[in-house]
Amino acid sequence: MNIEPAAPETKGVTVMLLATIDLGPEIEGMAGRQLRMRKVTIEPGGVFGPLHNHIDRPGTVYILQGTITDHRNGVATDYGPGVGWPEDRNTTHWLENRGSETAVEISVDIVRQA
């Protein structure tokens, strides 16, 4: 862990939608929401930004490959394969790949339907 730099704009990121499910018919009170699963690839030197929050969009992330640095609350934390983190209403962060290997994560969250 170390001190967090300013949050740059997104670069070197590919997002692939893997699956969605409409939560309205599944759970009372969830009309207009969907459960979404994405594969996010961050190239070396890539940034998944800018600084953003997860108010009204809870989720969780699992790292498949490489190392992703999660910047939040002034702290940079590295996560490698087989670990992840929650993204709740108190999460404000941005991500980057400081390594030399492409990083891949699976991101699952609840979002408002477009």
Side-chain angles (χ1 to χ4, degrees):
M1 293 190 205
N2 53 26
I3 301 302
E4 177 179 358
E9 295 297 315
T10 297
K11 67 176 182 177
V13 175
T14 304
V15 179
M16 176 189 299
L17 182 63
L18 300 176
T20 62
I21 186 168
D22 180 359
L23 293 176
E26 302 295 327
I27 303 171
E28 188 174 325
M30 294 295 284
R33 307 270 179 164
Q34 69 180 195
L35 181 63
R36 172 179 71 173
M37 181 169 58
R38 300 176 296 164
K39 177 178 160 185
V40 178
T41 303
I42 307 175
E43 298 300 326
V47 172
F48 197 177
L51 185 69
H52 63 277
N53 66 51
H54 287 266
I55 294 171
D56 202 33
R57 190 172 57 89
T60 188
V61 171
Y62 181 81
I63 308 301
L64 295 173
Q65 169 186 316
T67 300
I68 295 176
T69 302
D70 178 40
H71 297 268
R72 66 173 86 185
N73 301 321
V75 177
T77 305
D78 292 336
Y79 293 94
V83 297
W85 62 84
E87 299 174 327
D88 62 14
R89 68 178 177 248
N90 298 311
T91 302
T92 299
H93 69 156
W94 62 279
L95 310 172
E96 75 174 318
N97 179 354
R98 295 195 239 187
S100 59
E101 177 184 6
T102 298
V104 180
E105 70 177 44
I106 298 296
S107 175
V108 178
D109 55 3
I110 296 174
V111 296
R112 290 193 183 275
Q113 291 177 305

